[in-house]
Amino acid sequence: MKIREEVLNVLKSIIHPEYGEDIVTNGMVGALEVDDIGVTFALLIKRPKDPFAQSIKKICEQKIEFAFPQYKDKIEISIEAPVRPPSAKSAAKAAPKIISTDNGDIKNIIAISSGKGGVGKSTVTANLAVQLAKMGYSVGLIDADIYGPSQPKMFGLEGEAPQVIGEEGAEQFIPLERYGVKLISIGFFIKVTDALVWRGPIATNALRQILHQTAWGKLDYLLIDLPPGTGDIHLTLLAEMKLTGAVIVSTPQQVALADVIRGIEMFKSPKIDVPILGIVENMAWFTPAELPNNKYYIFGKGGAVELAKEQGVELLAQIPLVQSLCEGGDSGTPDSLQTPVSGLAYMELALNIEKLSNK
Ligand code: ADP
């Protein structure tokens, strides 16, 4: 294969997160030249101020360099300005707004966080959302977990894409709706197989776009499923939002570990300064279906109560380990709508959140 075609193939592996199509097929690669001197091409952006342009350029450079080390420092990519400049009106409309409860459209914005991945943060977020909706509240959910956006799967909305409305430069995403919850997920924009590639600046930009450009309408609760841990992405995200509070999810094994404490400290730090509504202990015990009154504390007991006391925060709920979830994985319906024992636990969580909320 000629090297030019090989370079094109590399570029074909780069998907524009908004269009969901690779940049070659999408007509974004122009005037490609590959020779002994290096690789040059124009990245043709389709609309003014494409927020992904710089990040895509960087990914192009990295991928070409990785595949063809001989072109290190010999890659020249120009971003071609759009032919039609944005009108002053649309530019003003697209200006980023900090997401907040200030204008009264959204009454409560609550981030769900965890020290590590895999503790059930997304499961807790999905179930809290559907329980609040069941109580009659209007609920939105932002799945911002770039390391593994799992909400589309939990809501049975995998492979769907939100509708985009509005004029060029001031587009708005319409969240998808299921079980009374409006959902927007980074997973609708980023193919899971690309997760590694999109972790950097592209993911941050995609998240910012979701935060600023989703048409929620009026909401009682907007829940945000944050990426696990504490990192730069958290600081970026948290700087753009004015939260009502944060909920920390932990399992009994993780409870005493440094990363849970670090998570709590991140919210308490003067720079972030977000009230912690409390801790949710997930997989707190196991109850076999045939012995519904027995509780087996297979991962230890009492840790979350202790942590909540130490940190001066509430223990909002203890969620049992649910056998059906372990066996069957995700059915596309949050389990609190199907399993009575977890339904009860999540109802308690939703009631506790209601108590701590703005009315
Ligand atoms: P995180 O968002 O923290 O990475 P997830 O919510 O994706 O974690 O959960 C990780 C895995 O654990 C999933 O397969 C989920 O089905 C399972 N899981 C979460 N909570 C429970 C529970 N209470 N009982 C049984 N399995 C659970």
Side-chain angles (χ1 to χ4, degrees):
M1 206 191 305
K2 273 176 61 188
I3 191 145
R4 185 177 186 280
E5 277 161 46
E6 286 174 17
V7 171
L8 260 182
N9 273 343
V10 168
L11 295 174
K12 262 194 189 154
S13 69
I14 300 172
I15 313 286
H16 190 294
E18 190 182 333
Y19 306 136
E21 195 174 39
D22 73 77
I23 56 172
V24 176
T25 311
N26 201 250
M28 292 180 69
V29 176
L32 173 66
E33 294 213 17
V34 183
D35 54 26
D36 291 340
I37 303 165
V39 177
T40 59
F41 68 92
L43 190 62
L44 306 166
I45 58 170
K46 301 238 153 154
R47 63 182 173 92
K49 292 195 179 160
D50 183 334
F52 300 108
Q54 288 297 342
S55 324
I56 291 179
K57 180 180 166 187
K58 208 159 176 184
I59 297 277
C60 291
E61 285 165 353
Q62 284 168 351
K63 281 205 155 191
I64 295 172
E65 229 176 62
F66 184 73
F68 310 98
Q70 70 268 34
Y71 289 132
K72 189 168 163 33
D73 300 325
K74 293 179 181 169
I75 304 164
E76 193 88 26
I77 305 169
S78 60
I79 295 178
E80 294 281 327
V83 180
R84 187 162 57 91
S87 69
K89 196 170 127 227
S90 79
K93 263 198 229 150
K97 273 189 284 246
I98 294 216
I99 192 163
S100 80
T101 53
D102 289 351
N103 71 2
D105 281 350
I106 303 177
K107 288 192 190 151
N108 296 279
I109 305 175
I110 297 172
I112 323 293
S113 160
S114 67
K116 271 215 165 83
V119 300
K121 170 182 54 60
S122 304
T123 308
V124 168
T125 311
N127 283 289
L128 172 60
V130 295
Q131 290 302 320
L132 287 167
K134 244 174 95 176
M135 287 158 71
Y137 292 112
S138 48
V139 180
L141 198 173
I142 300 181
D143 178 10
D145 188 350
I146 46 170
Y147 302 114
S150 48
Q151 297 300 348
K153 196 165 176 190
M154 296 207 188
F155 280 82
L157 289 168
E158 241 180 337
E160 307 263 337
Q163 204 193 333
V164 182
I165 55 159
E167 58 189 85
E168 216 173 78
E171 293 92 345
Q172 292 253 298
F173 306 117
I174 306 291
L176 295 169
E177 198 159 346
R178 196 94 199 252
Y179 310 118
V181 175
K182 291 180 177 176
L183 172 67
I184 199 93
S185 169
I186 188 81
F188 293 144
F189 302 89
I190 291 176
K191 303 249 178 314
V192 173
T193 45
D194 291 329
L196 267 173
V197 177
W198 299 121
R199 266 178 201 189
I202 289 206
T204 314
N205 273 338
L207 278 179
R208 296 191 66 238
Q209 234 191 332
I210 288 178
L211 288 183
H212 296 303
Q213 291 172 229
T214 302
W216 293 110
K218 288 201 185 297
L219 290 180
D220 295 304
Y221 291 95
L222 178 58
L223 305 185
I224 303 167
D225 185 355
L226 284 181
T230 50
D232 288 348
I233 185 101
H234 296 81
L235 300 181
T236 310
L237 283 179
L238 294 170
E240 315 239 335
M241 315 189 266
K242 198 163 147 196
L243 298 177
T244 314
V247 171
I248 314 276
V249 180
S250 177
T251 59
Q253 305 114 295
Q254 300 281 332
V255 119
L257 296 186
D259 40 36
V260 176
I261 313 279
R262 248 200 315 273
I264 294 176
E265 279 168 358
M266 171 177 77
F267 289 109
K268 284 185 174 170
S269 71
K271 215 163 133 197
I272 306 273
D273 193 24
V274 168
I276 297 189
L277 301 180
I279 295 169
V280 174
E281 187 182 37
N282 188 29
M283 310 191 206
W285 59 76
F286 174 65
T287 299
E290 58 283 8
L291 295 167
N293 296 320
N294 291 23
K295 288 179 179 176
Y296 297 95
Y297 294 88
I298 49 183
F299 299 131
K301 189 181 173 188
V305 177
E306 202 58 37
L307 176 70
K309 233 194 270 167
E310 256 170 43
Q311 294 289 330
V313 297
E314 261 194 70
L315 181 60
L316 296 167
Q318 292 177 297
I319 314 289
L321 188 72
V322 175
Q323 200 162 355
S324 55
L325 261 184
C326 301
E327 287 163 354
D330 290 311
S331 65
T333 307
D335 66 289
S336 68
L337 296 178
Q338 318 182 65
T339 318
V341 55
S342 86
L344 272 178
Y346 280 111
M347 182 51 77
E348 186 195 348
L349 172 60
L351 288 169
N352 276 329
I353 293 290
E354 183 189 41
K355 265 199 303 208
L356 298 167
S357 303
N358 299 319
K359 296 286 155 29

